[in-house]
Amino acid sequence: MNPITCPHCGGLSAYCIRPDGMFQCPECESLLDHRDIDLDGMEVWGVAADGTLCTTTDPAHSLDCLMEAIEEFLTADECPNAEYARRFSATSATEFLAAYIDARRLGIKRPELGYTEESVRTAVNAGADMVLGELGLGEPEEDAINLVVNAAITSLTNPGVSFAKMIEENYGEDAEEVRSWWGWN
């Protein structure tokens, strides 16, 4: 964590949070609004436990770099100097983990990993719409594609669900009824 210091005092004092949400230099009492904090790159700001305004590495970037360092550690034997590669990657992993911990201590939310249920649902439906819109399939094929979409989304929220249960949840029918739609069996 790096404190954000007051430029009016020559960078000697770090801004501290006030009850009204503004930041104030304890030396010259100059104020800083959070809307005026402009960071470039992979840095984010937060407030340390002692009330000091600080910057640190974005936790999403820290996690990405941590994963890369772990991968480099695991593949170090493929390098000409495997021992150096292992030490370097272990040091990098430690630094990125520390940066992630710093960000979390500043109250910065952990990043979303993977895809949300809503983003998967949207993508699966968009994929089905794309295929259906371009191929001009008949009603039996459209129904089959929609069955796959509903099965995929149901499996996302209920892994291992049976065909019969998926049909019941999505169509309010029993599996035999759906099998009879187009002579499916």
Side-chain angles (χ1 to χ4, degrees):
M1 293 184 276
N2 302 308
I4 296 179
T5 58
C6 176
H8 306 291
C9 294
L12 299 177
S13 296
Y15 285 102
C16 294
I17 192 152
R18 296 179 354 160
D20 63 1
M22 295 283 287
F23 297 99
Q24 184 174 25
C25 172
E27 297 296 321
C28 71
E29 299 185 0
S30 118
L31 294 177
L32 176 66
D33 189 301
H34 69 88
R35 293 172 291 201
D36 295 328
I37 302 171
D38 184 26
L39 302 173
D40 294 328
M42 293 294 151
E43 284 198 317
V44 293
W45 67 270
V47 179
D50 67 356
T52 304
L53 177 62
C54 296
T55 63
T56 192
T57 305
D58 184 323
H61 179 69
S62 295
L63 285 180
D64 287 343
C65 293
L66 174 60
M67 295 307 294
E68 286 177 26
I70 291 169
E71 184 62 31
E72 288 170 5
F73 182 85
L74 294 173
T75 59
D77 288 336
E78 299 169 11
C79 296
N81 187 338
E83 184 60 29
Y84 174 79
R86 264 191 296 281
R87 286 182 187 180
F88 182 80
S89 60
T91 300
S92 295
T94 302
E95 290 171 4
F96 294 124
L97 179 58
Y100 177 78
I101 291 169
D102 283 348
R104 297 291 287 133
R105 282 187 178 144
L106 287 177
I108 298 166
K109 292 181 182 179
R110 68 180 172 88
E112 290 290 328
L113 301 175
Y115 299 99
T116 64
E117 180 182 331
E118 187 57 36
S119 66
V120 171
R121 184 181 304 274
T122 299
V124 170
N125 278 301
D129 291 344
M130 179 192 316
V131 170
L132 294 173
E134 291 294 322
L135 295 183
L137 300 174
E139 197 171 352
E141 293 84 1
E142 287 185 16
D143 284 347
I145 287 174
N146 286 323
L147 277 169
V148 171
V149 166
N150 285 317
I153 291 170
T154 302
S155 295
L156 177 68
T157 58
N158 187 2
V161 68
S162 69
F163 179 77
K165 184 70 174 162
M166 183 277 296
I167 293 298
E168 181 184 317
E169 287 179 14
N170 289 284
Y171 296 93
E173 304 280 349
D174 66 21
E176 292 309 313
E177 171 65 27
V178 172
R179 285 187 180 104
S180 74
W181 286 354
W182 301 104
W184 295 332
N185 47 10

